[in-house]
Amino acid sequence: EIVLTQSPATLSLSPGERATLSCRASQSVSNYLAWYQQKPGQAPRLLIYDASNRATGFPPRFSGSGSGTDFTLTISSLEPEDFAVYYCQQRYTWLGTFGQGTKVEIK
Amino acid sequence: DVQLVESGGGLIQPGGSLRLSCAASGFTVGSNYMSWVRQAPGKGLECVSVIYSGGSTYYADSVKGRFTISRDGSKNTLYLQMNSLTVDDTALYYCARGHMVGTAGFEYWGQGALVTVSS
């Protein structure tokens, strides 16, 4: 099983600051990695697919990068609505696995 | 518009069975891969099962042999049959559809069905 490790577990930042979230895979997943945003009481929402493609509805301040085992989600300037939990997920294997999540909270 | 609507959740005793349904609209359930993803209270996401357009199915080790994923094209519905339930199966169960263009990413999600296993 491919294990995804996200860091940090919690990121405390102020609006306007840059957020950098990491997702590391226990073995290569090529570019078969997605990022999701989840707010309390809501279903996850696809943010990035195939490592670097922004999903419909998300603004350009969100960007994804990486391949192989190391991936990064960057939010260039945090808006109030961006404070949420972010998960990465690999689909290199048939079933796919999620990371444990990074909570981006208001400092 | 694509829509996924789960149903069938509820309170069940340990050892019991439950079948979740996910009614799809705006696309055909057999046209792309679909999954059941669960989230225990206050915890992260776990993909428990997936069914591909060709019919292949895969399960997490935690549910293998107890859960069965299936679909009915005539009803355009995805199912998850859950047997021998334990308290560790308590979670919100989402159905999700794969991205039509990309390889990685669930593009659409339902609102979730809550399963509570308790005596």
Side-chain angles (χ1 to χ4, degrees):
Chain A
E1 177 184 307
I2 296 177
V3 177
L4 299 181
T5 302
Q6 292 187 240
S7 61
T10 304
L11 200 51
S12 298
L13 295 169
S14 300
E17 289 193 293
R18 182 184 187 90
T20 303
L21 287 67
S22 173
C23 177
R24 178 163 291 179
S26 58
Q27 65 186 76
S28 176
V29 298
S30 185
N31 69 326
Y32 300 146
L33 190 107
W35 290 92
Y36 300 87
Q37 178 192 69
Q38 188 178 34
K39 296 181 179 180
Q42 297 183 15
R45 188 180 167 198
L46 180 64
L47 171 55
I48 299 287
Y49 66 94
D50 293 355
S52 61
N53 297 284
R54 199 168 49 250
T56 304
F58 281 95
R61 65 178 181 272
F62 291 93
S63 64
S65 64
S67 66
T69 60
D70 289 299
F71 300 85
T72 301
L73 174 68
T74 301
I75 311 171
S76 60
S77 179
L78 282 163
E79 296 288 338
E81 61 268 25
D82 300 338
F83 292 91
V85 179
Y86 293 84
Y87 294 94
C88 59
Q89 183 216 4
Q90 63 84 13
R91 235 211 92 200
Y92 188 79
T93 57
W94 292 117
L95 185 65
T97 50
F98 288 90
Q100 81 280 15
T102 290
K103 182 179 182 180
V104 179
E105 64 176 22
I106 300 176
K107 186 175 181 180
Chain B
D1 283 0
V2 171
Q3 195 170 12
L4 299 170
V5 180
E6 300 97 334
S7 61
L11 175 63
I12 189 78
Q13 291 189 335
S17 297
L18 212 54
R19 188 178 81 159
L20 302 181
S21 300
C22 172
S25 58
F27 74 103
T28 303
V29 291
S31 64
N32 203 338
Y33 70 95
M34 294 191 70
S35 283
W36 287 97
V37 177
R38 70 183 180 184
Q39 187 168 36
K43 302 297 184 182
L45 302 168
E46 179 188 20
C47 189
V48 296
S49 185
V50 61
I51 183 167
Y52 284 85
S53 56
S56 298
T57 59
Y58 299 88
Y59 300 91
D61 287 344
S62 58
V63 306
K64 201 172 293 183
R66 300 188 299 122
F67 289 13
T68 303
I69 190 171
S70 63
R71 65 188 180 214
D72 184 334
S74 66
K75 296 182 178 179
N76 212 32
T77 299
L78 180 75
Y79 299 101
L80 185 67
Q81 177 66 43
M82 304 184 293
N83 299 330
S84 303
L85 285 161
T86 73
V87 295
D88 292 336
D89 297 316
T90 294
L92 187 61
Y93 285 73
Y94 296 102
C95 68
R97 195 205 80 178
H99 202 278
M100 288 302 289
V101 174
T103 299
F106 291 120
E107 190 173 13
Y108 293 99
W109 296 68
Q111 83 290 348
L114 183 61
V115 174
T116 304
V117 185
S118 175
S119 55

